Amino acid sequence: MRKPDPREVAVALAYRAAQAAPQVVAKGRGLIAETIISEARAHGIYVHKSAELVSLLMQVDLDQHIPPQLYRAVAEVLAWLYKLEAGAALPLPASANPTQSREQGMPALLTQFGVSPTKSANGKTMVAPDDDNSI
């Protein structure tokens, strides 16, 4: 049996159009992180790997909405995901900058990226650390 990596970290986000911003619904390290990731994959929920974004999201309390400073980075990932679910083959946006402050709300940012904020297959997006530079 493989021992969990205590350095592994994961954060689960949920976003619905009626919400002001995505919400942290699960987060953890080691075995908890591995469980979050494996449960997401088992349920067909997308897992995005970004060590920088996860590091920032780990600072958000459980059941709290993400801060406005992370709206743009998370909106770019969500917009890409919604388009992917709609059947578009798109590269993940490289311009996501988690530390960039944004005045716009989440629905406006999603619209800016060409996505209707009401589109979501499952309403959840998973974020995991970038350990191999892949998605």
Side-chain angles (χ1 to χ4, degrees), residues 6-115:
R7 297 169 296 170
E8 185 156 32
V9 182
V11 176
L13 299 177
Y15 179 69
R16 289 169 188 79
Q19 293 179 307
Q23 181 178 16
V24 173
V25 295
K27 66 180 189 173
R29 300 180 187 286
L31 183 58
I32 293 172
E34 287 183 9
T35 302
I36 290 169
I37 294 166
S38 69
E39 283 297 312
R41 289 184 174 141
H43 289 91
I45 297 171
Y46 174 74
V47 176
H48 174 68
K49 297 181 179 192
S50 170
E52 184 180 34
L53 186 55
V54 163
S55 174
L56 293 168
L57 289 169
M58 283 295 288
Q59 298 173 37
V60 178
D61 290 333
L62 193 60
D63 295 326
Q64 296 301 306
H65 295 281
I66 66 168
Q69 295 85 352
L70 297 179
Y71 282 7
R72 183 169 183 83
V74 172
E76 286 190 19
V77 173
L78 288 175
W80 178 84
L81 176 62
Y82 294 156
K83 289 177 182 179
L84 184 69
E85 288 177 345
L90 305 167
L92 184 65
S95 61
N97 181 354
T99 58
Q100 182 178 11
S101 179
R102 204 60 172 167
E103 295 294 318
Q104 296 174 292
M106 186 61 62
L109 280 169
L110 289 172
T111 302
Q112 176 184 335
F113 294 120
V115 173

Side-chain angles (χ1 to χ4, degrees), residues 44 81-82 85-86 118-124:
L81 176 62
Y82 294 156
E85 288 177 345
T118 58
K119 284 186 189 174
S120 177
N122 56 30
K124 294 183 181 179

